[in-house]
Amino acid sequence: MCVWIEDADAIEMSDKSLRVVYQNERVGRFINSSKMLGISGIKGQGKTFLLKVKRNAAIKDDILCFPQNSMVDQLDSSIQISSSISKYMEDYTKWVSLWKIAIAVTIIKYKDFKLDLIGLHLRAPKGIQELLDINNKNYKPSIYIDYLLRMNRATLNKAISYTSILLNMLHDIHSAVYVFIDKTDQAFSIDIHRIFGDSPMSRGPRNASFWQYCQYALANAAYDLFNINNHIKVYYSIRQEALIDTNKLAPNLKRNIEAYIVSLEYTKNDLRQMFDIYILNEDNNNLNSCEYKASNPTRAFLGVDTIENKHVSKSEDVFDYIYRHSLKRPSDIMKICKNLSFDNKDLDISKIRNTVNECAEEILSMYLDELGPFLPYKIDDFLIHINTNILNLKYIRYICNRYINHKIQEYTCSRDCLNCSNMHPFTILFNIGLLGYVKEDLNNHKYVQHFNRAGSSVFLERLIQFPISDYYFIHPCLMDVIYEKRRQCGLEHFTDDNYIIGDSYEFSNENIDKINENIVLAEKELKKEDVFISSTIEDLKKERNVIKYALMARGYNPIMSEKNNFPINASELQGVHSHDYCIDKLLECGSVIFIIGTEYGGEYAGKKYKKLQQEIIKKSNGKIQKPSISLMEFYAAIKYNLIHYAFINKQFDDKEIREQNWSKDIICEYNFINHLKFHNEINGNWISRYDSDEDLSIRIKHLVFTSQSKLNNALF
């Protein structure tokens, strides 16, 4: 058999894989204690597998278990709430009653208990009668939950009022009955964000989250049923995120309910032992070198036990390589090892590295999807703005400012990361375990890299925790994704090759100077990805936004003087005219896009670039006496060899149309740009015509900029 089971859904009763179980203290507490009813964890912690292990042990003890013909009951993602009861179900206590009814009816209807079902049917209200009539041969409580949520309000209300009578009937059960319920988080996932409030951006007062209510109410009902009759045990799994702020759901019972829940967590040593145990239980014909099975499990599995790092000239243990590309969850290790096992008899270091990295990208993608509803905004398009793997606070401030003011209208960059109350992208990355920092290891007083445990951040009501550190680290699985995103856009990535990046890896001062040099280089190169958009503003608002979004889709940073990300520095503004300041900022960019519109714009009124102003007057043979600030910007780009492009709406191709719509100044400007020569050559100042917003966007997406020019030269 292959022991690397990534998804426990397919495991059936008496499956051999249920015998291979690594038990740390938390896992052992859940499996071995009959009183630990619930198991919680983020996705990928093995909740389904452990619930099935517990069910398998109950079967061996000849205990009556529900459901009958499958190992666990599961809620279906198609479960919906009748519109007539939606408001009614915003009362959390109603969910507790629903679970009690569903579980009680499941048990009461079991034929061997010989309860008076006929009498119950006669006495019960319509809603309970309907449940008793359902053919639920596998004894699944989820069938009844689904049916109850489709009732009208009057019928459901009467059914709930009958809850205590159903529970009283359970006193007549004198033998052990176990009920196993899994994947309650599949239902109502669209409602996850309401844990925090109506808006994904809100962290205000609680609203009814059916996703959370459904899960925590199951824990509540399981606790209550156990106290009514301790022969009846409902074993269940719920997402760790469902435990957010539960003191507001069941303030008087929270401590008692959660005393019966085991929250899963694994250390690196736990996962290493799990890795070794699974190899020891693997069939020999699924191993590369089975003779090493007892002495060196890693070598037995893959044929090697060390791997040379691609960037740093050091070797590391293969498991360490796998672990630091994971998110510290059993499912990550399983997924990677399963993919390695497919051709482990024909593996080399390169194949191992590629397989691990490819799996890491998939793991990260799924993780971000899972956490998406708990995050204040999507961060996918932010990642392309990071071009190195070791950062400092100055770099973070620069990236955060260039991104957040473009994309997130609710926030303005405070430029004070450590005291910022915004949920900015690096804060999110830190909280969800994808941005590490330097931390002292109190066991040996060495400084190490520290990454949060995956998923732990979702318990914070506000994602504003950010550590003070000299350096920060991009998680290896995230770095692979960032590298690929930038590669596809033709953008460079400056991977630091001084340290292996990973949780708990040592960080010394040995190569600090080299790290600082790399960060400075990375930031300098990022500034070359700044593209200055030069034009008159009022008549070209739409076109400027079209260009802005087309550039951002490619990972470039549009610099626009009217936007709140325009790099205004108070110390630089002393005595400087705004026109000169705009040209200063333009010359810090790597490229310029100039748009000619129907307005000439303000005439240049600065002092710093008078020489350029005179050159324009001279080169135009006096036809332009007062160059506009836009023309000055474009001329400066050409003069100082920036990559530059000019655009004009195609409707002005016709000379007569230009003369009808344009002033004399704009016509002179157009002719000047179209025929401008440097060293007797037209210096790449071709004016590109576009005929629609879509056409303009497409043209922007095909432009070649500074960073790409450099990259293409390096490649060819």
Side-chain angles (χ1 to χ4, degrees), residues 217-264:
L218 172 59
N220 195 332
Y223 169 77
D224 288 346
L225 288 166
F226 179 71
N227 281 281
I228 289 169
N229 184 340
N230 60 19
H231 292 297
I232 298 172
K233 297 182 177 68
V234 180
Y235 295 111
Y236 58 88
S237 71
I238 60 174
R239 284 270 288 276
Q240 192 84 357
E241 297 91 332
L243 298 177
I244 296 173
D245 207 17
T246 50
N247 60 302
K248 294 180 181 178
L249 299 183
N252 298 324
L253 287 177
K254 170 184 167 65
R255 180 174 295 182
N256 294 340
I257 293 169
E258 293 176 22
Y260 288 80
I261 300 174
V262 174
S263 295
L264 289 176

Side-chain angles (χ1 to χ4, degrees), residues 327 359-368 434 477-478 481:
L327 294 171
C359 288
E361 289 186 38
E362 293 178 27
I363 288 166
L364 177 65
S365 177
M366 289 188 288
Y367 177 58
L368 291 178
L434 297 177
C477 70
L478 179 60
V481 170

Side-chain angles (χ1 to χ4, degrees), residues 184-372:
T184 47
D185 62 311
Q186 290 184 152
F188 316 114
S189 57
I190 195 172
D191 248 4
I192 293 176
H193 72 269
R194 296 184 70 188
I195 294 173
F196 296 122
D198 282 327
S199 165
M201 301 300 299
S202 170
R203 290 294 181 271
R206 160 182 297 283
N207 281 308
S209 166
F210 297 149
W211 181 84
Q212 183 184 31
Y213 282 14
C214 183
Q215 293 180 77
Y216 199 70
L218 172 59
N220 195 332
Y223 169 77
D224 288 346
L225 288 166
F226 179 71
N227 281 281
I228 289 169
N229 184 340
N230 60 19
H231 292 297
I232 298 172
K233 297 182 177 68
V234 180
Y235 295 111
Y236 58 88
S237 71
I238 60 174
R239 284 270 288 276
Q240 192 84 357
E241 297 91 332
L243 298 177
I244 296 173
D245 207 17
T246 50
N247 60 302
K248 294 180 181 178
L249 299 183
N252 298 324
L253 287 177
K254 170 184 167 65
R255 180 174 295 182
N256 294 340
I257 293 169
E258 293 176 22
Y260 288 80
I261 300 174
V262 174
S263 295
L264 289 176
E265 191 173 323
Y266 298 91
T267 65
K268 180 180 180 180
N269 186 53
D270 287 332
L271 294 176
R272 178 63 196 244
Q273 290 188 56
M274 186 185 297
F275 175 78
D276 289 346
I277 287 172
Y278 271 75
I279 294 172
L280 291 173
N281 282 275
E282 182 63 281
D283 290 342
N284 286 346
N285 58 1
N286 290 336
L287 299 175
N288 180 289
S289 306
C290 62
E291 64 271 23
Y292 295 103
K293 197 171 187 178
S295 60
N296 190 334
T298 306
R299 189 170 181 184
F301 178 38
L302 301 171
V304 296
D305 52 14
T306 60
I307 185 170
E308 187 174 335
N309 189 276
K310 188 176 182 180
H311 301 290
V312 184
S313 56
K314 293 180 181 178
S315 293
E316 59 184 314
D317 181 270
V318 169
F319 175 80
D320 289 344
Y321 186 79
I322 293 171
Y323 176 78
R324 68 186 184 85
H325 281 80
S326 77
L327 294 171
K328 309 179 187 178
R329 304 176 300 182
S331 66
D332 303 341
I333 306 300
M334 292 291 175
K335 180 179 182 65
I336 293 170
C337 290
K338 180 180 179 181
N339 280 272
L340 287 170
S341 71
F342 288 146
D343 56 358
N344 66 343
K345 290 186 171 60
D346 188 33
L347 282 176
D348 57 26
I349 297 300
S350 178
K351 286 183 179 178
I352 292 173
R353 184 185 292 117
N354 289 340
T355 299
V356 172
N357 291 350
E358 287 170 7
C359 288
E361 289 186 38
E362 293 178 27
I363 288 166
L364 177 65
S365 177
M366 289 188 288
Y367 177 58
L368 291 178
D369 285 344
E370 292 157 10
L371 283 188

Side-chain angles (χ1 to χ4, degrees), residues 332-512:
D332 303 341
I333 306 300
M334 292 291 175
K335 180 179 182 65
I336 293 170
C337 290
K338 180 180 179 181
N339 280 272
L340 287 170
S341 71
F342 288 146
D343 56 358
N344 66 343
K345 290 186 171 60
D346 188 33
L347 282 176
D348 57 26
I349 297 300
S350 178
K351 286 183 179 178
I352 292 173
R353 184 185 292 117
N354 289 340
T355 299
V356 172
N357 291 350
E358 287 170 7
C359 288
E361 289 186 38
E362 293 178 27
I363 288 166
L364 177 65
S365 177
M366 289 188 288
Y367 177 58
L368 291 178
D369 285 344
E370 292 157 10
L371 283 188
F374 299 97
L375 303 180
Y377 50 83
K378 280 187 169 292
I379 60 171
D380 300 49
D381 56 356
F382 162 71
L383 301 177
I384 199 169
H385 294 272
I386 303 171
N387 70 339
T388 188
N389 58 334
I390 302 181
L391 329 173
N392 60 18
L393 201 57
K394 180 176 178 291
Y395 179 96
I396 284 176
R397 187 179 293 116
Y398 171 70
I399 298 295
C400 192
N401 179 54
R402 82 193 292 238
Y403 174 79
I404 201 168
N405 289 328
H406 266 319
K407 291 292 291 184
I408 307 167
Q409 301 302 319
E410 291 82 356
Y411 301 147
T412 299
C413 182
S414 69
R415 300 176 185 265
D416 184 7
C417 299
L418 299 181
N419 297 306
C420 181
S421 60
N422 290 335
M423 288 168 277
H424 62 71
F426 285 104
T427 303
I428 293 172
L429 290 180
F430 166 70
N431 276 278
I432 64 176
L434 297 177
L435 182 74
Y437 69 104
V438 180
K439 181 179 181 180
E440 185 178 5
D441 186 336
L442 297 179
N443 294 320
N444 55 27
H445 299 290
K446 291 183 178 180
Y447 286 93
V448 298
Q449 304 166 45
H450 174 76
F451 290 82
N452 279 342
R453 183 171 59 87
S456 61
S457 68
V458 296
F459 309 116
L460 303 174
E461 290 193 14
R462 288 183 63 83
L463 299 175
I464 57 173
Q465 292 193 8
F466 196 73
I468 298 173
S469 180
D470 290 332
Y471 298 98
Y472 303 86
F473 312 94
I474 299 296
H475 193 288
C477 70
L478 179 60
M479 190 185 77
D480 291 339
V481 170
I482 290 171
Y483 176 84
E484 184 59 24
K485 279 179 176 286
R486 291 184 62 80
R487 188 195 66 79
Q488 289 176 1
C489 289
L491 303 174
E492 289 188 277
H493 190 277
F494 298 87
T495 303
D496 193 287
D497 58 3
N498 293 292
Y499 291 91
I500 296 177
I501 306 299
D503 187 51
S504 299
Y505 274 62
E506 187 175 347
F507 186 80
S508 66
N509 291 325
E510 184 179 346
N511 295 304
I512 292 297

Side-chain angles (χ1 to χ4, degrees), residues 530-534 559 566 582 585-586 589 591-593 633:
D530 289 350
V531 182
F532 195 97
I533 303 178
S534 175
I559 301 298
F566 192 67
C582 283
K585 294 297 123 180
L586 175 148
C589 297
S591 312
V592 175
I593 293 176
E633 288 169 349

Side-chain angles (χ1 to χ4, degrees), residues 611-623:
K611 185 177 179 181
L612 296 187
Q613 182 187 41
Q614 293 303 314
E615 286 184 21
I616 292 174
I617 294 171
K618 182 178 179 180
K619 284 180 178 287
S620 69
N621 296 320
K623 292 180 179 180

